[in-house]
Amino acid sequence: MMTPWRYSGSAMVQTTRIMPLDDEAIAEATLLVLAGEPVAVPTETVYGLAADATNAEAVARIYAAKGRPSFNPLIVHVPNLEAAERIGRFDAQARDLALQYWPGPLTLVVPLREDGGAKPVRGTGEQRHGIASIVTAGLETIALRVPAHAAMQALLKACGRPLAAPSANASGQISPTRASHVLASLGGRIPLIIDGGATQRGIESTIVAATDGSLRLLRRGPIEIEAAKQLASKAIEAPGQLASHYAPMKPLRLDATAAEPGEYLIGFGPVRGDVSLSERGDPVEAAARLFDLLHQADGAPAARIAIAPIPGDGIAAAIRDRLKRAAAPRV
Ligand code: AMP
Ligand code: MG
């Protein structure tokens, strides 16, 4: 079933249902997720707002619902290590941590697999392993977690898809540990909250990067760092530094209404370009296509990239924020 989204300014108004965690709730959530809707679901850390990580527009709706002012890479939830290894490349240290702490509140950032599974998906350009590029915000690494909570595990199994899920709160608000917190923050913006009671841990997962042969702690969390440290060949620094934003290599000109010589124009709405973020001027579609088209423009023969204005608030503003940073001179 598809819940109709009604745009009223920047906010989408709809009825938010709360269902207690049971088979019926999981079945309903599964229908919604497979139809491209985000749903709120408890995990052992905080409530997550979960969407199909292979569906770029579904992931864009997470941003629309949260009102996030920019794009950050999201954590992808999978049912087990085997599923994780189909998406990311695990070295021995990463696998050791996964075996020790999964399922549980540990997120591992690993390189995205380049081999196999790549398939162009309609309207979204090239995708690896079906993971939409908006999920990693265009990065070559991916954050993966195997949650322990029965609700998220049941949803993952029923959907058969990896699920991208940041915390289920409006941007700038604190992470929700109860269904009532989610309702207060996102009521009217999402179709369903699964109520599994108060979350056990109440703080976000520990994040460790295993991208270059060493382990780095990116975010402190419920997992004991000392234990992780012992597994590291090099000392873990905290908090870790890792490129968290993709930017195109070429100069980027914003608010372009026509291409100048040597420019590859990314259009939007009435501005026709070499490609378009959304010919119908839909900011959710534009967000879903943003990183694929930036990569495409980077790979085109033209020396420079120009991009049409993306007017509006909400997710359109998030796109503009991301583009402004991509256009800023590198330091
Ligand atoms: P949240 O989903 O709001 O709990 O935040 C996810 C966290 O994971 C953020 O701090 C991100 O910067 C981090 N993260 C997710 N994916 C990556 C990645 N590919 N590389 C580095 N950090 C990541
Ligand atoms: Mg959060």
Side-chain angles (χ1 to χ4, degrees), residues 91-181:
D91 63 17
Q93 296 185 102
R95 199 169 295 123
D96 279 349
L97 283 180
L99 288 170
Q100 189 171 349
Y101 293 107
W102 282 356
L106 173 70
T107 295
L108 290 167
V109 176
V110 297
L112 253 180
R113 267 191 188 288
E114 283 154 34
D115 51 319
K119 56 173 181 17
V121 172
R122 185 187 62 82
T124 56
E126 269 287 296
Q127 293 184 344
R128 279 197 193 92
H129 296 86
I131 300 292
S133 64
I134 187 175
V135 170
T136 62
L139 294 175
E140 303 290 306
T141 56
I142 185 157
L144 292 162
R145 181 162 101 82
V146 175
H149 197 287
M152 189 58 126
Q153 274 288 345
L155 188 60
L156 285 165
K157 288 196 177 110
C159 292
R161 308 273 169 91
L163 298 176
S167 55
N169 54 276
S171 179
Q173 298 183 2
I174 56 167
S175 295
T177 56
R178 293 177 178 278
S180 60
H181 300 162

Side-chain angles (χ1 to χ4, degrees), residues 68 73-75 109 139 141-143 165-166 204 207 218-219 242-243:
R68 266 205 184 176
L74 302 177
I75 295 170
V109 176
L139 294 175
T141 56
I142 185 157
E204 288 88 350
I207 305 182
L218 298 185
R219 180 170 77 187
L242 202 64

Side-chain angles (χ1 to χ4, degrees), residues 4 15 86 220 244 285:
T15 306
R86 283 198 291 270
R220 294 184 183 279
S244 63
E285 185 183 23

Side-chain angles (χ1 to χ4, degrees), residues 46-69:
V46 301
Y47 275 71
L49 187 58
D52 179 354
T54 69
N55 179 340
E57 289 199 23
V59 177
R61 289 192 188 103
I62 291 176
Y63 282 92
K66 283 177 67 89
R68 266 205 184 176

Side-chain angles (χ1 to χ4, degrees), residues 201-225:
R201 304 284 196 157
I203 55 168
E204 288 88 350
S205 60
T206 301
I207 305 182
V208 173
T211 52
D212 60 1
S214 67
L215 297 178
R216 278 173 296 167
L217 184 70
L218 298 185
R219 180 170 77 187
R220 294 184 183 279
I223 297 284
E224 263 305 317
I225 300 143

